[in-house]
């Protein structure tokens, strides 16, 4: 492997200080906002609950796949998404719902997101500044994929908890019974 190149043939380093500082500013902004929402709570929306983990999944795949395409063994790190999903589903139990100003809010654990962000920043740093060390990149990719799976599982669990609570309210009892009836019809088919 030539000096100054990553294992995928991409140049290592070469970023300007201004570009790096701007990138670090954007990452810091995202971290602060995500942690604030995790700690203070965020207005519940099914689309919001699932869209952020899907965005994290896309970012993970876009970061890992193009770089690792020349090394299929490294792509196995993405299998950690499947391992993380049930772990996240269990973590989803710890999400709390509360009413504020007549709107439903929810809080999730900020720790999973912090681990994902650290591993994502680490992966980008490996790509931009350090170059390629296959073992380190593989470990960071695996942690990134694992926490992505955890975020997806947690999001699904939050939606299921909301739906079970929402279906249990008196005004929606008929809808819940209709959903159960439709599920029964689907099973018979």
């Amino acid at each position: 492997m030539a000096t100054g190149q990553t294992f995928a043939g991409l140049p290592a380093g070469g970023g300007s200080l201004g570009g790096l500082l701007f990138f670090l500013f954007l990452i810091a902004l995202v971290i602060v906002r995500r942690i604030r929402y995790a700690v203070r709570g965020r207005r519940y929306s099914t689309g919001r609950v699932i869209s952020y983990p899907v965005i994290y999944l896309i970012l993970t795949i876009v970061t890992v796949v193009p770089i690792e395409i020349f090394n299929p063994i490294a792509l196995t790190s993405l299998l950690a998404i499947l391992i993380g999903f049930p772990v996240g589903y269990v973590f989803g139990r710890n999400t709390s719902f509360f009413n504020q100003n007549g709107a439903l809010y929810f809080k999730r654990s900020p720790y999973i997101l912090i681990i994902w962000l650290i591993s994502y920043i680490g992966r980008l740093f490996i790509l931009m500044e350090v170059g390629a060390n296959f073992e380190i990149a593989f470990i960071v990719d695996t942690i990134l994929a694992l926490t992505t799976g955890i975020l997806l599982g947690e999001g699904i669990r939050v939606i299921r908890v909301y739906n079970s609570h929402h279906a249990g309210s008196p005004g929606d009892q008929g809808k819940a019974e209709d959903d159960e009836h439709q599920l029964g019809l689907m099973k018979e088919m």
Side-chain angles (χ1 to χ4, degrees), residues 7 57 60-69 71-85 119 123 134-150:
F7 52 87
L57 175 65
T60 299
I61 291 171
V62 167
T63 303
V64 173
V65 171
I67 303 306
E68 308 294 354
I69 199 74
N71 194 340
I73 293 172
L75 290 174
T76 60
S77 65
L78 292 176
L79 293 175
I81 293 172
L82 301 175
I83 296 168
F85 190 86
S119 60
R123 183 59 171 129
F134 177 76
E135 291 81 15
I136 292 173
F138 182 76
I139 290 168
V140 172
D141 288 348
T142 302
I143 293 169
L144 184 61
L146 180 70
T147 53
T148 299
I150 291 172

Side-chain angles (χ1 to χ4, degrees), residues 92-161:
R93 288 185 199 166
N94 298 328
T95 301
S96 61
F97 290 89
F98 60 97
N99 285 312
Q100 183 175 336
N101 300 329
L104 183 65
Y105 282 72
F106 70 102
K107 284 185 192 179
R108 14 163 80 148
S109 170
Y111 301 114
I112 299 167
L113 181 60
I114 291 170
I115 293 168
W116 185 89
L117 286 169
I118 289 170
S119 60
Y120 188 72
I121 293 167
R123 183 59 171 129
L124 294 177
F125 182 73
I126 288 170
L127 291 175
M128 289 182 0
E129 298 299 326
V130 177
N133 179 325
F134 177 76
E135 291 81 15
I136 292 173
F138 182 76
I139 290 168
V140 172
D141 288 348
T142 302
I143 293 169
L144 184 61
L146 180 70
T147 53
T148 299
I150 291 172
L151 289 168
L152 284 167
E154 181 187 40
I156 297 298
R157 180 61 176 254
V158 169
I159 291 169
R160 291 202 59 196
V161 167

Side-chain angles (χ1 to χ4, degrees), residues 2-22:
T3 305
Q5 288 189 346
T6 65
F7 52 87
L10 298 174
S16 70
L17 180 60
L20 180 61
L21 291 176
F22 180 72

Side-chain angles (χ1 to χ4, degrees), residues 8 13-14 18 24 29 46-47 56 62 66 70 93 115 117 126 137 139 142 147 169 179 185-186 188:
L24 291 175
L29 184 65
T46 302
Y56 297 140
V62 167
F70 297 108
R93 288 185 199 166
I115 293 168
L117 286 169
I126 288 170
I139 290 168
T142 302
T147 53
S169 65
D179 289 346
L185 290 176
M186 293 174 122
E188 291 175 8

